[in-house]
Amino acid sequence: MAERSAEAADQMRETVMIDLALQGGGSHGAFTWGVLDRLLEESWLKIEAISGTSAGAMNAAVLVSGYMQGGAIGAREALDAYWEQVAEAARFSPIQRSPLDRLLNRWSLDSSPGYIMMDLMSRLVSPYNLNPFGHNPIRSILEGSIDFAHLNEADIKLFITATNVHTGRGRIFRNKEITPEVLLASACLPTLFQAIEIDGEPYWDGGYAGNPTISPLVRESEAHDVILVQINPRERRETPRSASEILDRLNEISFNAPLMKELRMIALLRQAADPGAGEGRRWAEMRTHRILTDKLAEFGASSKLNAEGPFLLMLKEEGRKAADLFLREHGDDLGKKSTADLDVLLEEC
């Protein structure tokens, strides 16, 4: 009876248009899977556009493709199927947790012989020599999970970021431009994979330029509420001391830097924008929100390559919990006011 009352209340609730900004982070993208799964349960939320990078790009494209075929239910089923295939492929990966990690129930791969060997080789040998044919197991999963031919017909706008190797600038790909190569480029770590060539230009992971890129959501979407799903920890209380910890923290800072820079720019534009009309009004009316968890800070960077089914499901459940908490605490604020204070970023400059 209570469930029916809740469903009736949702149906009577005024629709709120939202945009989603999805960070990348390897298998930690399963956290975003859980967030999306929970948000898609809310019929009063209408997704207008999604900006995604790396794993966020994969989640975004799978969601949109599934939504085209079966609405919110189709999107949830498509995301489930995609991550189940990722977990199935990981069963045959040479990079597995060590027996000690399994015994201690640690999800890190730091003591995995396969991971240690791969990490060492990636520092010494180019992927053009290690993987001369450019094989990527995710390609076949993407091709079977996404209807690329019809993405341009989707009602939800897609913005996928990849980094041009030659210029260092980010390029944003929209629905009609998105192919398996675009998604692979957005997630292309240069020490592991060859650069992905698109239109004669090589591309690397979009996280170097925008993780994710926010500005197209403001300029090209009718929604005024942007929900950022954040994966990479921005702050850590302990000082890294080991070589691996230092490199992990450097990667976190570098992959967060473009986002922080863009959020500061948005805060400045909101303060300076003329709310009267035109683009100034869009910046002034933008409302920002964040969904994140402290749980991901417990795992080292190596766990981003751990795609074991139980780990992915645990992250999914954590994502659902984080989204549910956000909806309970801030659901009524959507469409009305920001719940993430961007102005505090200006104090850090």
Side-chain angles (χ1 to χ4, degrees):
M1 196 72 174
E3 290 182 2
R4 290 180 181 177
S5 299
E7 289 179 5
D10 282 348
Q11 291 175 356
M12 295 175 60
R13 192 168 186 171
E14 184 178 351
T15 299
V16 176
M17 295 190 299
I18 61 171
D19 292 333
L20 298 173
L22 310 181
Q23 263 199 335
S27 64
H28 289 189
F31 170 79
T32 303
W33 168 28
V35 170
L36 298 176
D37 188 69
R38 179 64 186 89
L39 294 179
L40 286 164
E41 291 180 345
E42 301 297 322
S43 59
W44 56 279
L45 292 177
K46 184 178 185 297
I47 302 173
E48 285 288 297
I50 310 177
S51 176
T53 296
S54 193
M58 313 289 188
N59 276 319
V62 171
L63 183 155
V64 171
S65 182
Y67 200 95
M68 290 174 63
Q69 299 176 31
I73 294 176
R76 295 176 66 195
E77 291 176 347
L79 286 165
D80 288 349
Y82 169 77
W83 284 100
E84 286 168 6
Q85 291 179 71
V86 170
E88 180 64 21
R91 290 177 54 202
F92 306 100
S93 170
I95 303 174
Q96 302 285 345
R97 283 186 298 162
S98 69
L100 179 61
D101 288 330
R102 293 178 186 275
L103 181 65
L104 298 177
N105 200 31
R106 295 188 304 213
W107 296 109
S108 167
L109 296 172
D110 290 340
S111 59
S112 162
Y115 174 80
I116 293 172
M117 178 62 69
M118 181 214 67
D119 187 49
L120 179 62
M121 293 297 289
S122 69
R123 299 172 197 272
L124 300 175
V125 184
S126 165
Y128 289 85
N129 295 324
L130 277 178
N131 186 9
F133 298 105
H135 174 69
N136 190 320
I138 296 295
R139 176 184 292 274
S140 60
I141 298 176
L142 291 173
E143 291 174 344
S145 302
I146 300 169
D147 183 4
F148 289 97
H150 297 94
L151 281 181
N152 193 41
E153 301 170 11
D155 292 331
I156 301 174
K157 295 179 180 178
L158 275 172
F159 304 102
I160 305 300
T161 302
T163 304
N164 187 301
V165 178
H166 291 166
T167 67
R169 300 191 189 99
R171 175 177 169 182
I172 300 170
F173 296 86
R174 291 160 175 80
N175 295 57
K176 66 180 180 180
E177 303 170 298
I178 296 171
T179 63
E181 285 70 27
V182 167
L183 297 181
L184 292 174
S186 184
C188 180
L189 292 173
T191 58
L192 298 181
F193 300 104
Q194 298 181 25
I196 305 296
E197 189 169 299
I198 302 171
D199 299 332
E201 293 286 334
Y203 289 90
W204 281 339
D205 195 299
Y208 298 110
N211 193 17
T213 307
I214 307 292
S215 55
L217 297 176
V218 183
R219 292 192 174 106
E220 301 180 40
S221 171
E222 295 301 317
H224 294 294
D225 289 74
V226 177
I227 300 177
L228 169 64
V229 183
Q230 202 161 351
I231 290 179
N232 292 312
R234 187 184 168 210
E235 297 181 1
R236 286 191 181 272
R237 298 184 181 278
E238 297 181 0
T239 302
R241 299 190 181 279
S242 70
S244 61
E245 289 174 345
I246 292 170
L247 287 173
D248 289 351
R249 187 56 185 148
L250 280 172
N251 283 331
E252 285 178 349
I253 292 172
S254 64
F255 276 106
N256 273 331
L259 174 64
M260 293 300 106
K261 182 178 180 180
E262 188 171 20
L263 290 177
R264 289 191 189 97
M265 178 197 72
I266 290 172
L268 284 169
L269 286 172
R270 286 175 57 185
Q271 289 185 358
D274 178 2
E279 188 168 314
R281 179 177 180 180
R282 291 199 56 76
W283 288 105
E285 292 181 347
M286 177 187 175
R287 295 180 287 266
T288 53
H289 315 272
R290 287 198 306 172
I291 297 178
L292 68 168
T293 178
D294 293 331
K295 186 76 173 177
L296 292 176
E298 299 176 7
F299 309 116
S302 66
S303 66
K304 293 180 179 181
L305 293 178
N306 183 353
E308 292 179 57
F311 183 49
L312 299 182
L313 289 174
M314 184 269 288
L315 292 175
K316 177 192 179 185
E317 186 57 32
E318 185 65 25
R320 283 188 56 85
K321 289 178 182 177
D324 190 67
L325 178 64
F326 170 81
L327 289 170
R328 282 189 278 113
E329 293 186 346
H330 301 299
D332 290 339
D333 296 322
L334 289 170
K336 299 175 183 176
K337 64 179 183 179
S338 293
T339 58
D341 183 11
L342 298 186
D343 292 338
V344 70
L345 296 175
L346 299 178
E347 300 173 5
E348 302 174 3
C349 297

